[in-house]
Amino acid sequence: MKGRVKDKWAYPVVFRTLILWMSALSIGLSCSTAWALVKQDSEAICILIQSEMQDWHPTTPRYQELKARFDEHCQQPVANGVKSTLRPPATPTTVRHDAPKQKPNRIPAVVTAKPTSAPSTMSPISSMFESLSIILVIPILLLLFAIATLLFRPSLRQYRAERLGQQGEKRVAKLLKQGLKDEDFRLYRNLILPMDEITEGTPALTEVDLVLLTHFGVFVLEVKNYSGWIFGGEKQAQWTQKIFTKQTRFKNPLHQNYKHCLAVAHCLGLVEGLHSVVVFSDEASFKTPLPKNVVNESGLLSLIAQYKGQITETSNSTNLAFTLAAERLDIAQQQSDSDAKSLHLMQFKHRRVEPTISS
């Protein structure tokens, strides 16, 4: 299955969005840093709080209130843009006379204030730049990811198309095996066959999705695992796929499968009894008259049954032709290895003018 979807990227919109987002992060970081500085008391106020804390016992509510304010607003006191090195007060040695009396049996003999960690000596400006460098890593990584996606997008798109094609071929192969389990048939996938042409001393190769060999004919199947609306006629060079408002043009699969039929006919030496069939997914809906031998997956078995009904009986010559064709296709399947696929891929990149069905 071949087919490419051409997507368009709005490059200016992507980069404008990244720049606006990085600017918003920088402004937000500056505001948050400024707000953190505003919340800190001056060095003089912190010294007064320390001095008053020494006049109160650690168990008094006033001491706890002063200590909470000191811990919250005096870790980085503002003094000429440089953080102070104030330390929390040591355990007070005197007790104010108007402190509330405590019961003797509930007062410990020695009371020690909870130790507090020494504040960092880093300045607010250094802290701001450190936080800014950490936050800027996120948009930089996103920018690198966007660039990598743009560079490898063709490969990712080709990989996705190949995966979809393989899924469709497996689904159709399973459908045929279940529907023809009572028949004598052979099914071949992804055959690399030479054309009856010579290109620089090497036969031109083509890849056939599925070949169904039966006693009542040989069916060359081109599988299109597409969805959405399909517009196209038998003689049109390009068909159109439409999904909502997005339209994608692709090569007429009947013309594409005509080349496959030539390769199978050259392999088997057939002149007649060869049928070209294009199979679309059931998720595809045709909005133009359906061309001959183009069906959805649900109608494939019915189409094959029509050809079976045209054969009244199977003769010895038919059985012999079936056996010889099976032997040749078995050999072709064995030769469709990785080397043959690599050669076909190299030829496919050097696009040749493909044969078309004459009117």
Side-chain angles (χ1 to χ4, degrees), residues 1-4 158-172 189-191 206-210 221-227 250 253 256-257 260 278-281 297 344 348:
M1 168 181 291
K2 305 296 184 300
R4 296 180 298 175
Q158 181 180 0
Y159 173 76
R160 181 177 179 273
E162 291 177 355
R163 286 295 303 272
L164 288 176
Q166 292 173 1
Q167 292 174 3
E169 293 167 9
K170 291 180 179 178
R171 196 166 55 243
V172 172
R189 277 190 60 192
N190 303 121
L191 291 179
T206 186
E207 183 175 4
V208 185
D209 289 346
L210 292 170
L221 286 78
E222 173 69 16
V223 181
K224 294 297 183 184
N225 192 15
Y226 290 178
S227 60
F250 60 96
Q256 184 180 2
N257 205 37
H260 300 161
V278 176
V279 186
F280 277 85
S281 165
E297 293 178 12
H344 168 253
F348 181 77

Side-chain angles (χ1 to χ4, degrees), residues 3-75:
R4 296 180 298 175
V5 179
K6 298 182 179 179
D7 295 332
K8 297 180 179 179
W9 274 56
Y11 296 96
V13 175
V14 174
F15 287 108
R16 283 202 302 268
T17 304
L18 288 175
I19 293 173
L20 290 175
W21 189 51
M22 293 169 61
S23 302
L25 284 176
S26 302
I27 295 173
L29 178 62
S30 302
C31 294
S32 62
T33 305
W35 175 248
L37 293 175
V38 170
K39 290 178 62 178
Q40 298 295 307
D41 290 337
S42 64
E43 184 176 356
I45 295 177
C46 294
I47 294 175
L48 293 176
I49 294 175
Q50 272 189 309
S51 176
E52 186 176 355
M53 287 174 64
Q54 294 177 358
D55 296 336
W56 293 93
H57 196 277
T59 59
T60 59
R62 179 59 178 170
Y63 179 89
Q64 298 295 334
E65 179 183 352
L66 293 171
K67 185 176 183 304
R69 179 169 180 177
F70 184 88
D71 292 341
E72 181 178 359
H73 299 283
C74 293
Q75 295 302 316

Side-chain angles (χ1 to χ4, degrees), residues 95-356:
V95 180
R96 193 167 180 172
H97 296 292
D98 57 349
K101 296 182 179 181
Q102 305 293 332
K103 294 182 179 181
N105 57 349
R106 294 187 180 182
I107 299 178
V110 178
V111 179
T112 305
K114 293 182 179 180
T116 57
S117 59
S120 173
T121 57
M122 184 181 295
S123 65
I125 298 178
S126 300
S127 177
M128 181 183 66
F129 279 108
E130 181 180 4
S131 302
L132 181 61
S133 62
I134 294 175
I135 293 180
L136 285 180
V137 171
I138 299 176
I140 291 175
L141 291 177
L142 290 176
L143 180 61
L144 293 177
F145 177 77
I147 295 175
T149 302
L150 293 175
L151 292 177
F152 295 100
R153 196 157 186 259
S155 299
L156 295 175
R157 183 173 54 194
Q158 181 180 0
Y159 173 76
R160 181 177 179 273
E162 291 177 355
R163 286 295 303 272
L164 288 176
Q166 292 173 1
Q167 292 174 3
E169 293 167 9
K170 291 180 179 178
R171 196 166 55 243
V172 172
K174 182 178 179 181
L175 175 66
L176 291 172
K177 291 178 182 178
Q178 293 177 349
L180 300 174
K181 58 183 179 181
D182 297 331
E183 300 288 340
D184 187 12
F185 71 94
R186 301 288 188 275
L187 185 62
Y188 303 90
R189 277 190 60 192
N190 303 121
L191 291 179
I192 307 296
L193 299 176
M195 299 284 295
D196 191 13
E197 302 174 9
I198 300 296
T199 303
E200 297 180 357
T202 302
L205 301 176
T206 186
E207 183 175 4
V208 185
D209 289 346
L210 292 170
V211 176
L212 175 64
L213 175 63
T214 68
H215 288 277
F216 48 89
V218 181
F219 298 87
V220 181
L221 286 78
E222 173 69 16
V223 181
K224 294 297 183 184
N225 192 15
Y226 290 178
S227 60
W229 291 354
I230 306 297
F231 302 84
E234 182 178 359
K235 305 299 181 181
Q236 292 180 347
Q238 297 287 329
W239 288 11
T240 303
Q241 176 194 32
K242 184 175 182 181
I243 301 178
F244 298 107
T245 59
K246 181 180 179 181
Q247 294 187 3
T248 305
R249 297 178 65 83
F250 60 96
K251 186 182 300 183
N252 185 336
L254 288 173
H255 296 180
Q256 184 180 2
N257 205 37
Y258 176 69
K259 178 182 63 176
H260 300 161
C261 291
L262 292 178
V264 175
H266 175 65
C267 176
L268 301 180
L270 292 178
V271 178
E272 58 182 11
L274 200 66
H275 310 293
S276 173
V277 181
V278 176
V279 186
F280 277 85
S281 165
D282 285 335
E283 297 180 359
S285 176
F286 273 82
K287 297 303 178 181
T288 52
L290 199 64
K292 183 181 178 181
N293 285 6
V294 178
V295 295
N296 293 101
E297 293 178 12
S298 57
L300 176 60
L301 294 177
S302 300
L303 176 65
I304 294 177
Q306 295 177 7
Y307 290 97
K308 180 182 177 182
Q310 298 175 5
I311 304 298
T312 56
E313 60 180 356
T314 303
S315 61
N316 293 332
S317 60
T318 304
N319 293 332
L320 180 60
F322 177 87
T323 303
L324 294 176
E327 291 178 355
R328 293 188 178 186
L329 290 175
D330 288 340
I331 296 175
Q333 185 76 81
Q334 295 175 0
Q335 294 177 348
S336 299
D337 53 10
S338 58
D339 294 336
K341 292 182 179 180
S342 300
L343 180 59
H344 168 253
L345 181 61
M346 181 183 65
Q347 292 182 356
F348 181 77
K349 291 181 179 179
H350 300 79
R351 296 184 179 276
R352 299 179 295 108
V353 178
E354 300 180 353
T356 57

